[in-house]
């Protein structure tokens, strides 16, 4: 019986229509998902051992027989890291001739390059399509996708996703919001896919000049704060659904459902682990690609800190969810205040009037004392001491345990104010930096 169900599932995963795939996402029991994942994981390990220089070398160094690997733990401390991708030539990861390349946008330094085949891009689109379909996108809708073009993958995968559903799609790169606004009504777009900050700018224009009927808005989850989301939803009177992914993962690995409580993971094409979990289950998300053959990644350390949500979601999808990313592991700073993530300061600065959204918090050292320094740009001549007082008040109210460490002298709080435009702007400026000496 299970074998028969499994054969049906495998056919649905590869061959059936997108609506059929979504139906399967609700029928397939988690135990079967796990069994399909582990089967694909074993195959991937054997494939990568044969074809990928990097992984083959790692297995030899550790004396691991790929034929005996059944689950991730069997690989011990064999991982693929972002640093490996930066340090080694692409040939060390390529298993067959590539057809496309994309780059990631790092916080600093050179980009990571990830290669794919055409078939792999289209296939990634199929799973994004399932996410769009589950959230209400149907033929007859008109999708506009304004993710950055260039070497950025999201626009392509979204385009293929729309193709799979048979829905109208303009994937147009990232126009200036004011230029785009004048086309919104003309082309009758009713589904928008975009970056959080771009969406906020577009919404500001629409708030003044009028909104059009929008069914649903999709945004990349990175840096979409609660305040941004509430504002955009209010302006358009439409839900904002977030996706989670990266270039390394080949676009999306998870997407929210309309309940908007965590990202449902694409457990058919990826196997997920969390590493070094804390008491609340938060750890670094580690991803193995299960269906890619051009440049597969075995146990890729995303550096994103999150946790699994094990309860079954009320939307009916049986796929597991992860919580919104709490921060980057390489942005986490352990200090007198506790384990600090950028997310903490996002929440502390949320609602503080008169500062720009480009800010940084630095951890410095003075003698043997840690200093938490808020570096803020003042935008409208507001009194700095009022900002200071509000930030302290928010920290006390929203993170009492962090505040308690302050009260008992574990660290000092400092402020540095500057005029708008002082701080470096880029796709991902570092929000929390550790400037203490080793
Ligand atoms: Zn759900």
């Amino acid at each position: 019986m299970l074998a028969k169900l499994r054969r049906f599932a495998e056919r649905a995963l590869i061959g059936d229509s997108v609506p059929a795939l979504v139906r399967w996402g609700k029928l397939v029991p988690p135990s079967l998902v796990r069994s399909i994942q582990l089967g694909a994981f074993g195959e991937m390990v054997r494939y990568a051992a044969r074809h990928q220089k990097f992984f083959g070398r790692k297995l030899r160094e550790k004396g691991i027989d790929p034929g005996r690997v059944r689950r991730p733990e069997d690989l011990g401390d064999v991982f693929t890291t972002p640093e490996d991708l930066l340090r080694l030539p692409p040939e060390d990861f390529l298993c067959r001739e590539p057809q496309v390349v994309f780059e990631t946008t790092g916080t600093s330094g050179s980009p990571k390059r990830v290669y794919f085949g055409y078939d792999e891009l289209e296939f990634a689109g199929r799973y994004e399509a399932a996410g769009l379909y589950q959230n209400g996108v149907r033929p007859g809708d008109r999708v506009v996708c304004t993710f950055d073009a260039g070497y950025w993958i999201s626009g392509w995968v979204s385009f293929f996703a729309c193709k799979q559903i048979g829905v109208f799609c303009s994937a147009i790169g990232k126009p200036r919001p004011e230029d785009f606004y004048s086309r919104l009504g003309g082309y009758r777009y009713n589904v928008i896919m975009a970056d959080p900050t771009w969406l906020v700018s577009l919404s500001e224009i629409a708030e003044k000049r009028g909104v059009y009927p929008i069914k649903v808005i999709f945004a990349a989850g990175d840096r979409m704060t609660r305040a941004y989301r509430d504002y955009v939803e209010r302006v358009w009177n439409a839900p904002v659904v977030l996706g989670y992914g990266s270039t390394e993962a080949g676009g999306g690995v998870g997407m929210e459902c309309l309940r908007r409580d965590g990202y449902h993971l694409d457990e058919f094409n990826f196997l997920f682990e969390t590493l070094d979990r804390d008491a609340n289950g938060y750890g670094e998300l580690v991803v193995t690609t299960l269906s890619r053959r051009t440049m597969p990644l075995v146990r890729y350390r995303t550096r994103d800190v999150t946790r699994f949500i094990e309860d079954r979601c009320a939307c009916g999808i049986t796929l597991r969810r992860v919580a919104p990313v709490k921060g980057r592991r390489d942005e986490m700073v352990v200090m007198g205040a506790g384990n600090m993530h950028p997310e903490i300061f996002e929440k502390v600065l949320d609602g503080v009037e008169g500062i720009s959204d480009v800010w940084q918090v630095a951890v410095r050292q003075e003698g043997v004392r840690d200093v938490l320094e808020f570096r803020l740009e003042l935008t409208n001549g507001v009194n700095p001491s009022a900002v200071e007082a509000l930030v302290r008040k928010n920290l006390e109210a929203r993170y009492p345990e962090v505040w308690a460490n302050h009260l008992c002298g574990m660290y000092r709080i400092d402020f540095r104010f500057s005029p708008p435009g002082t701080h470096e702007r880029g796709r991902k400026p570092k929000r929390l930096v550790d400037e203490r000496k080793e």
Side-chain angles (χ1 to χ4, degrees), residues 31-79:
S31 57
L32 181 57
V33 175
R34 188 68 186 161
S35 136
I36 291 173
Q37 274 188 314
L38 288 179
F41 181 78
E43 262 178 54
M44 169 54 72
V45 163
R46 289 188 293 279
Y47 174 85
R50 263 200 318 278
H51 298 284
Q52 189 180 73
K53 272 191 202 164
F54 169 79
F55 186 64
R57 200 161 58 219
K58 284 245 162 178
L59 290 187
R60 281 194 302 279
E61 276 168 22
K62 307 277 176 187
I64 297 173
D65 170 5
R68 291 175 170 273
V69 174
R70 300 277 176 274
R71 46 190 65 244
E73 305 82 70
D74 298 341
L75 286 171
D77 63 350
V78 173
F79 293 102

Side-chain angles (χ1 to χ4, degrees), residues 257 264 313 315:
C257 61
H264 282 285
C313 181
C315 76

Side-chain angles (χ1 to χ4, degrees), residues 18-20 22-23 127-139 165 218 255:
V18 170
V22 171
R23 275 199 302 280
Y127 282 81
E128 182 168 318
L132 301 184
Y133 191 90
Q134 167 67 16
N135 285 309
V137 178
R138 294 289 182 275
I165 310 180
F218 294 92
M255 194 187 282

Side-chain angles (χ1 to χ4, degrees), residues 134 256-262 264 313-317 321:
Q134 167 67 16
E256 291 178 333
C257 61
L258 286 168
R259 298 185 59 83
R260 286 162 286 168
D261 181 21
H264 282 285
C313 181
C315 76
I317 297 172
R321 288 169 291 156

